[in-house]
Amino acid sequence: TGREKPDFLATIDVDPNSPTYSKVIHRLSLPYVGDELHHTGWNACSSCHGDPSSDRRFLILPSLLSGRIYVIDTQKNPKAPSLHKVVEPEHIIEKTGLAYPHTSHCLANGDIMISFLGDKDGNAQGNGFLLLDSQFNIKGRWEKPGRKAEFSYDFWYQPRHKTMICSSFGAPLAFTQGFNLKHVDDGFYGRQLFVYDWPDGRLKQTLDLGDNGLISGEIRFLHDPTKDTGYVECVLSSNVVRFFKTQDGSSWSHEVAISVKPLKVQNWILPEMPGLIVGLLISLDDRFLYFANWFHGDVRQYNIEDPKNPILVGQVYVGGLLQKGSPITAVTEDGKTWQADVPKIQGHCLRGGPHMTQLSLDGKRLYVTNSLFSTWDRQFYPDVIEKGSHMIQIDVDIENGGLKINPDFFVDFGAEPDGPCLAHEMRYPGGDCTSDIWI
């Protein structure tokens, strides 16, 4: 938030039978200032199925701004994780030229792969993928020389289809300064999906999503490893695009599956406001898809049992630019104005807009935070910078669909000992659904 304080990993008690339910029970303060922790991942996951030596013990924390990688031991004391190792950015740059890390995924062979958005100067053309071995030593870059992707951001692989697909958010030298619509026209933001051979690392296809796919962000395959279907959020276009293999299986194609229409508004910087889709995820049983509209302020649940035809089955407003009390109003086709009714939780007004999401393993609890990126927060939701962000719980109807705010859960990161801070990605440990969560 601009203060000279290090980022920290918070442990939240999410067991409703615990006396410390909905509280921060531990803070692991990291040794440096200016990291901007963003996405996180594990050293071991479902790709290691069948390997009894694989142990989901270490949480991987890439630092988007500093380029540093933290490795956190969550097993010694799950309620008080400890710092295990730091991979320094100068070593990464020296060996690979990569900077601005984002997504971390574990691989079946024990390696860890992390996407990097650019080079040390913030140029997107310097993007690529870092490999760490099981001891978190730098092995080098994953992708093979040759055909080069213009961007990289979030990625997901499907081994049975020998494919990894990566999205294309934008150039660090642009988005780190805040959002400027001109930068989209200038080519500093992506609208592509990049399809790689897995695990060979050769870029084999580029899918141009066009205006329907401006700023492609979070990307998810269906969890069923036999399926050749997934979805990607297109942030600025406010579409969810489905990608899939062509009928003959020789290549990949795409189509818009969900579209959030922009709203006509008054008293804003533009006459129309996009939803700004973020936080895409899919339930473990592949029945439901979730995302948030950071500007509009709603969280949505879609039934995707027919992957081609998602059906909206749950929606709840938990913040946004259009909530009652805001100077900004939406205008309907007949000229009437409206604002979203956002309830208070335990007397707290919900600040900012919903961003990151994390679903409990049983699918019944959806956790939501409301910081996107510090410079964007400052630009669009300055009250989140001044007052801090928060974490809430949304209860999910997993039978028929439906979302409802849980009135008993609220974590206020504006009341931290060192002052207001910004909550971002959340991660469950493996196993128990009513345990702790790290953020």
Side-chain angles (χ1 to χ4, degrees), residues 378-431:
R378 185 173 290 107
Q379 183 177 359
F380 294 105
Y381 291 111
D383 59 330
V384 171
I385 297 291
E386 297 165 6
K387 300 177 182 178
S389 67
H390 52 248
M391 174 181 172
I392 64 172
Q393 177 184 322
I394 297 173
D395 294 330
V396 181
D397 181 342
I398 62 173
E399 298 299 327
N400 306 305
L403 303 176
K404 184 179 179 181
I405 296 173
N406 187 310
D408 299 322
F409 190 97
F410 186 84
V411 184
D412 186 4
F413 289 99
E416 283 298 304
D418 285 332
C421 61
L422 305 175
H424 197 72
E425 182 107 2
M426 299 156 283
R427 282 287 178 261
Y428 257 110

Side-chain angles (χ1 to χ4, degrees), residues 27 43-44 91 107 128 138 161 180 214 227 245 255 305 352:
R27 299 170 182 84
N43 69 306
H91 298 152
L107 308 187
I138 298 171
H161 293 279
N180 185 336
L214 294 175
K227 301 297 185 183
K245 266 188 176 179
E255 64 183 9
E305 291 175 293

